[in-house]
Amino acid sequence: MKITTIATTILLLTSLATTAKAENMSHLRQLLSTKSCPQCDLAGVGLVTNNLAGAKLERANLAGANLSQANLAGADLRGANLAGASFNGANLTGADLRGANLNGTDLRSAYLTNANVTGIDVSAAYLDGAIGIPLSLGKAEDFYKWGFADWQKNDFAGAVANYDRAISLNPKFPGAYLARSMAKFRLQNDRGAMEDAMAAERLYFAIADREGTQVAQALIAKIKLASQPTDTNMNPGNGNMVDLFTGLSSMLFRFF
């Protein structure tokens, strides 16, 4: 009797798994053919580089799915389960992500410009290198952290963009000015680098941060020296300046 019961249970579970897999594939075919699959079960599917611009995926289950480098511009992902899914390098420009579950979601290097992110929590998501992160998704310290991640990858333009956001959220954040100065200098924007270094010096001085003030002053001196046309040894890519930035980088960790 017990053997019969066990066998029946195994057959039932196998049947349910097969049915679930078939339903999953059916939903995948529906999405690819119509770009409309609200409330569908698409957990774990592979949609790398697929063009799903404008797709209707409201409340769909995309947990663990791989949508790396997919085009989801303008897609409707309201209330979707995106837990553990990969959107690495995906285009989510203008996508509607309101109420989506982003627990463990990989959004590194994703494009998020003009995305609607009302009511979402990204505290457990991965956003390093993401482009156009809406201000509502983080605090000044978050954008500072993302900017530093860009800096470490030599993406100085991306770093400046994130430091811009950090400063817009907290105009009295001296570390963000210091970091942005360094990034601007690497982009050969000497004037902008000098303005930010001087702003950092003023802010550090105002809060009696002696170390920060001295570091900002050292950066100002080096930028002045590098700006002199007669000095050919202080360009941004030269070893002298690289050594300086390596030394200053320790300051950037103070705000993590």
Side-chain angles (χ1 to χ4, degrees):
M1 182 68 176
K2 288 184 178 180
I3 294 176
T4 302
T5 301
I6 293 172
T8 301
T9 301
I10 292 173
L11 286 172
L12 178 60
L13 291 174
T14 302
S15 175
L16 288 173
T18 302
T19 301
K21 184 176 181 180
E23 182 179 1
N24 184 279
M25 292 303 296
S26 174
H27 287 173
L28 178 58
R29 286 193 294 270
Q30 177 183 332
L31 173 63
L32 293 175
S33 61
T34 68
K35 288 190 179 181
S36 179
C37 206
Q39 301 184 55
C40 285
D41 180 11
L42 297 162
V45 299
L47 291 163
V48 177
T49 71
N50 271 262
N51 181 10
L52 297 170
K56 299 185 184 304
L57 289 161
E58 181 183 0
R59 297 174 62 190
N61 179 16
L62 285 156
N66 188 354
L67 293 107
S68 299
Q69 299 182 43
N71 181 9
L72 289 148
D76 184 355
L77 290 158
R78 287 175 296 166
N81 180 10
L82 310 178
S86 175
F87 291 87
N88 193 318
N91 181 7
L92 288 160
T93 302
D96 193 341
L97 293 161
R98 285 177 291 174
N101 177 2
L102 294 172
N103 185 28
T105 306
D106 183 359
L107 290 165
R108 291 174 298 168
S109 301
Y111 295 82
L112 295 166
T113 304
N114 296 325
N116 191 331
V117 295
T118 303
I120 68 172
D121 179 4
V122 295
S123 59
Y126 303 95
L127 282 156
D128 290 352
I131 298 166
I133 303 173
L135 284 176
S136 61
L137 281 189
K139 302 184 293 294
E141 292 77 12
D142 294 322
F143 285 100
Y144 179 89
K145 178 185 69 175
W146 295 326
F148 185 65
D150 289 331
W151 164 271
Q152 290 181 307
K153 295 184 296 184
N154 292 330
D155 179 7
F156 304 118
V160 168
N162 276 310
Y163 294 140
D164 285 346
R165 288 176 168 81
I167 290 168
S168 69
L169 289 169
N170 181 4
K172 294 185 178 181
F173 190 169
Y177 285 98
L178 183 70
R180 191 172 69 174
S181 172
M182 294 165 63
K184 284 182 177 179
F185 191 81
R186 295 302 296 268
L187 292 169
Q188 299 186 6
N189 179 359
D190 293 0
R191 181 175 179 178
M194 179 61 75
E195 290 174 352
D196 280 346
M198 293 176 69
E201 180 192 19
R202 289 193 299 271
L203 290 168
Y204 279 127
F205 183 80
I207 59 175
D209 187 327
R210 183 177 179 182
E211 182 184 5
T213 302
Q214 291 176 340
V215 169
Q217 289 172 344
L219 181 57
I220 289 169
K222 294 299 184 182
I223 294 172
K224 285 181 178 178
L225 185 59
S227 299
Q228 296 175 7
T230 56
D231 192 329
T232 59
N233 295 317
M234 295 299 292
N235 64 72
N238 184 270
N240 291 333
M241 288 306 290
V242 172
D243 290 343
L244 169 67
F245 288 137
T246 300
L248 292 178
S249 292
S250 61
M251 281 291 294
L252 306 187
F253 283 105
R254 295 175 63 187
F255 301 96
F256 283 89

